[in-house]
Amino acid sequence: MSQHVQFLLRAEEMPAHWYNLNADFPEPLPPPLHPGTREPVTPDLMTALFPENLVQQEMSPERHIEIPGEVREVLSLYRPTPLLRAVRLERALRTPAHLYYKYEGNSPAGSHKPNTAIPQAYYNKVAGTKRLATETGAGQWGSSLSMACQVFGLECTVYMVKVSFHQKPYRKLLMQTYGATVHASPSPYTEYGRKVLAEDPDCLGSLGLAISEAIEDTAKTPGTKYALGSVLNHVCLHQTVIGLETIRQMQMAGEEPDIVIGCAGGGSNFAGIAFPFVQRKLQAGAKTRIIAAEPASCPSLTQGELRYDFGDTAETTPLMMMHTLGHKFMPPSIHAGGLRYHGMAPMVSHCLKLGLIDARAVPQLKAFESGVLFARSEGLVPAPESAHGIAVAIQEAIRCREEGRKQVIVFNLSGNGLLDLAAYDSYLSGQLQDSGPGI
Ligand SMILES: *Cc1c(COP(=O)(O)O)cnc(C)c1O
């Protein structure tokens, strides 16, 4: 037997705390602002949407936040997750680099998103919430939250971007199997949805629009709160179990990462793998290069502006300081639905501003080419979102070959692509194109 390929933690080695990078930023994160007064939002504005315990987490300056026992118990359905060395991909690339990937696709919903859906459902239950409303693009977040709501006995209503509702029925069916109610957005069930439909009955929807519908539903329905699957501080916080486990697993592998990579849509899985490594840069002077891989068609980090902007189309959310393409931006319908968001998590945006991370845009065709090479060498079909991260890992491994340099590269493989095979079909049959502002 040659190299060791899997690095597995024991159940009791699952992190007991989340890591909060807000405790360590050399310059504080600009606060969210009230859209009317432009003053920092007060917790009571947030508690209209979120339960108080999550609002506290959102604003917490504490470095380590304990993961409640009941949350750990549910997370242990699939955590700790494995770290693997991609030796066959290394051989296919003839690279001296060592490539490792953290695999988050073994969760019940097939991605990293249950890492935050589970604690969000738990904190809502503890706070007395009866029902959660949310939005979903391709359905990964909606299916994760539906699953978590079922576990904790909450009702769940999901506004799903209409184009995905019709083109990608499987995640809708998954949500319904978990007991959720799913509406195609724009829907006739909210005032905003009706207004959009009156202007354009054929509107295919967008994530920003679906967020507006879910927020309106929350504001109008007693016992209902809202849940978001990315962007917010507490979501990034919940995802740090990924990086905390990866650090221990790289110690098991006896290697120090030179480069850490994650794909970035709203920024949460990237934050999850990156923030514990950012802490080591800040505290121990580690030289790790940390790269966010975003789609060239929706390039908020590489081409967006850093400014205050709304999180949704109807301008109902607080203003957040983030890299943004503008809240009216309608991304082209690329096949990595989870990466089609106009803004980037404020914490990830702040990291880029402070020079703690880099960002790179990946064209859709390059992502699929990389996803197929990965599937054919490692056997695992990655989600199209994750394939953007793989594309950057491959670029770096090829650079290592050209420079004759051994470097250690770690990337987060955020989800499996088994419900995205129609997208692979489009790629394999030559129907996919590159489009958007980053091309
Ligand atoms: C949702 C999703 C993403 C993008 O969301 P982030 O918040 O940027 O992590 C990436 N990969 C997969 C598999 C997803 O489901």
Side-chain angles (χ1 to χ4, degrees):
M1 170 130 167
S2 53
Q3 290 104 341
H4 223 76
V5 167
Q6 282 211 47
F7 300 90
L8 301 172
L9 295 171
R10 285 173 287 121
E12 59 275 20
E13 289 177 296
M14 190 167 74
H17 297 82
W18 292 297
Y19 166 63
N20 182 11
L21 178 57
N22 273 326
D24 291 317
F25 273 133
E27 216 179 87
L29 187 72
L33 301 184
H34 188 287
T37 63
R38 291 218 149 221
E39 292 293 320
V41 297
T42 47
D44 54 306
L45 193 95
M46 306 278 284
T47 50
L49 293 181
F50 303 102
E52 228 169 279
N53 46 17
L54 279 176
V55 173
Q56 271 167 18
Q57 265 186 11
E58 183 68 15
M59 302 185 161
S60 173
E62 251 179 281
R63 180 170 292 118
H64 301 287
I65 296 176
E66 191 174 347
I67 307 177
E70 277 188 72
V71 171
R72 281 170 55 88
E73 203 179 287
V74 183
L75 289 177
S76 73
L77 288 170
Y78 63 96
R79 303 208 75 84
T81 62
L83 178 85
L84 295 101
R85 182 160 162 204
V87 286
R88 286 169 192 79
L89 180 61
E90 289 171 17
R91 271 180 227 140
L93 296 169
R94 291 176 291 108
T95 177
H98 289 187
L99 287 167
Y100 291 86
Y101 63 98
K102 178 71 166 163
Y103 185 47
E104 293 292 314
N106 274 337
S107 78
S111 75
H112 66 285
K113 290 196 171 79
N115 294 339
T116 185
I118 292 163
Q120 287 194 49
Y122 166 80
Y123 284 114
N124 271 285
K125 187 196 82 165
V126 170
T129 307
K130 300 290 176 235
R131 171 175 172 270
L132 284 178
T134 196
E135 72 292 328
T136 197
Q140 287 126 327
W141 169 241
S143 46
S144 302
L145 192 70
S146 303
M147 184 272 293
C149 281
Q150 192 51 239
V151 168
F152 290 108
L154 299 173
E155 285 176 56
C156 184
T157 293
V158 183
Y159 292 85
M160 183 175 191
V161 176
K162 190 176 274 174
V163 61
S164 306
F165 185 90
H166 292 303
Q167 285 181 359
K168 299 178 182 170
Y170 287 107
R171 284 206 184 85
K172 171 185 71 188
L173 296 170
L174 191 55
M175 290 182 250
Q176 290 168 339
T177 304
Y178 288 132
T181 302
V182 189
H183 300 311
S185 166
S187 82
Y189 303 105
T190 65
E191 219 169 280
Y192 189 64
R194 286 192 291 274
K195 176 173 165 268
V196 172
L197 284 173
E199 284 164 14
D200 176 11
D202 300 323
C203 177
L204 293 176
S206 73
L207 211 49
L209 204 161
I211 294 176
S212 300
E213 285 205 275
I215 288 179
E216 184 187 326
D217 177 324
T218 304
K220 289 184 175 166
T221 321
T224 297
K225 293 287 181 194
Y226 171 66
L228 193 60
S230 187
V231 180
L232 298 178
N233 299 351
H234 68 267
V235 180
C236 294
L237 175 81
H238 296 157
Q239 293 295 349
T240 57
V241 288
I242 300 173
L244 293 167
E245 287 178 6
T246 302
I247 286 176
R248 300 181 79 153
Q249 286 163 308
M250 286 308 297
Q251 283 163 353
M252 289 170 77
E255 299 214 89
E256 178 65 33
D258 298 296
I259 303 172
V260 173
I261 298 164
C263 66
S268 72
N269 90 87
F270 171 76
I273 189 142
F275 287 0
F277 285 97
V278 170
Q279 184 194 27
R280 298 203 318 173
K281 283 178 86 150
L282 287 169
Q283 298 205 322
K287 294 275 182 282
T288 329
R289 269 180 67 207
I290 304 176
I291 309 173
E294 64 177 7
S297 58
C298 198
S300 55
L301 283 173
T302 54
Q303 295 204 22
E305 280 181 295
L306 182 61
R307 63 174 167 88
Y308 274 107
D309 195 12
F310 291 100
D312 72 324
T313 317
E315 309 185 349
T316 43
T317 69
L319 292 162
M320 290 176 287
M321 175 60 94
M322 61 182 177
H323 282 273
T324 178
L325 297 161
H327 61 281
K328 302 282 187 193
F329 179 76
M330 275 278 175
S333 69
I334 57 164
H335 274 289
L339 302 182
R340 292 178 69 227
Y341 186 62
H342 66 271
M344 182 56 63
M347 290 182 80
V348 172
S349 298
H350 201 52
C351 282
L352 186 67
K353 184 196 153 200
L354 296 176
L356 296 167
I357 62 165
D358 296 326
R360 197 176 296 172
V362 178
Q364 170 163 258
L365 286 176
K366 183 52 83 183
F368 275 95
E369 181 194 313
S370 307
V372 168
L373 175 62
F374 190 85
R376 290 179 184 175
S377 41
E378 292 297 317
L380 193 161
V381 181
E385 291 86 355
S386 317
H388 289 71
I390 298 175
V392 170
I394 289 175
Q395 283 171 355
E396 291 298 312
I398 290 172
R399 180 187 54 73
C400 286
R401 179 179 75 206
E402 286 164 356
E403 294 175 1
R405 195 156 161 217
K406 188 214 131 181
Q407 285 195 312
V408 177
I409 301 170
V410 185
F411 60 93
N412 190 40
L413 209 162
S414 52
N416 74 60
L418 292 177
L419 290 185
D420 301 292
L421 290 177
Y424 278 90
D425 179 35
S426 304
Y427 170 72
L428 294 170
S429 58
Q431 291 164 41
L432 275 199
Q433 280 155 16
D434 284 330
S435 62
I439 300 299

